[in-house]
Amino acid sequence: MSLNREWMYTMRTNRDGTFNLQFKQAVSYFLDFAYENATNIERQTIDGVQKLLIRCPCSKCKNRYYKTREAVDCHLITQGFMEDYQLWDVHGELYPDEAINVGYCSKSLPSQHMGQDVDEDLGEYTGYDQMVMEVF
């Protein structure tokens, strides 16, 4: 997985030190992703209204505290993202090896085994490999 998340650390301010409005849009993208994918969302009633809270990845909170969308947005705008958070794992993004499509097997069968019945001895193959081959 090769995601360019440089914007998280380089785009918050313009060269002249003013706030970069594109960073605000990128933060909104992050928040949309987090609320669609996070598995550890907390629900809290605030002023009689139920709110969904996610962990705040700002440089101050460092994913330790649950905050509302508005609070996370404010923290990211004012504090920026915590260091080394290019993979949004706390917010539902999978590690590259977890994102493998289970229906696809990247290990191809050697040509010498093509067309064999599953009852034949497959040598170095494990029980798992045989189980996968039975699907074919």
Side-chain angles (χ1 to χ4, degrees):
M1 179 182 292
S2 167
L3 298 174
N4 183 351
R5 301 248 169 93
E6 232 178 271
W7 63 266
M8 296 170 63
Y9 305 101
T10 61
M11 200 170 113
R12 201 167 113 221
T13 56
N14 296 313
R15 290 182 184 174
D16 62 0
T18 59
F19 179 72
N20 184 343
L21 291 176
Q22 289 179 331
F23 183 75
K24 172 75 172 140
Q25 293 172 332
V27 167
S28 291
Y29 168 78
F30 165 78
L31 290 169
D32 290 344
F33 178 90
Y35 274 90
E36 288 175 17
N37 295 287
T39 57
N40 57 353
I41 293 178
E42 284 195 0
R43 298 176 191 281
Q44 189 176 49
T45 303
I46 301 172
D47 297 327
V49 177
Q50 188 175 43
K51 300 269 187 168
L52 301 176
L53 287 74
I54 61 169
R55 291 182 187 260
C56 181
C58 78
S59 62
K60 182 179 176 185
C61 294
K62 298 181 180 178
N63 282 328
R64 292 178 296 208
Y65 308 107
Y66 284 87
K67 304 282 182 189
T68 63
R69 182 183 180 110
E70 296 79 17
V72 173
D73 183 58
C74 181
H75 279 212
L76 292 175
I77 298 300
T78 59
Q79 307 287 326
F81 281 87
M82 63 187 268
E83 288 183 27
D84 297 323
Y85 194 58
Q86 289 88 0
L87 180 69
W88 301 338
D89 57 324
V90 173
H91 296 91
E93 187 170 30
L94 298 176
Y95 286 94
D97 59 339
E98 292 174 335
I100 295 172
N101 181 349
V102 176
Y104 173 78
C105 180
S106 62
K107 183 177 180 182
S108 60
L109 283 172
S111 59
Q112 75 247 27
H113 295 300
M114 295 303 268
Q116 286 184 336
D117 290 335
V118 291
D119 294 335
E120 292 183 33
D121 180 19
L122 298 178
E124 74 275 9
Y125 287 90
T126 65
Y128 175 78
D129 291 317
Q130 185 166 348
M131 178 183 71
V132 170
M133 290 178 1
E134 287 176 358
V135 173
F136 297 104

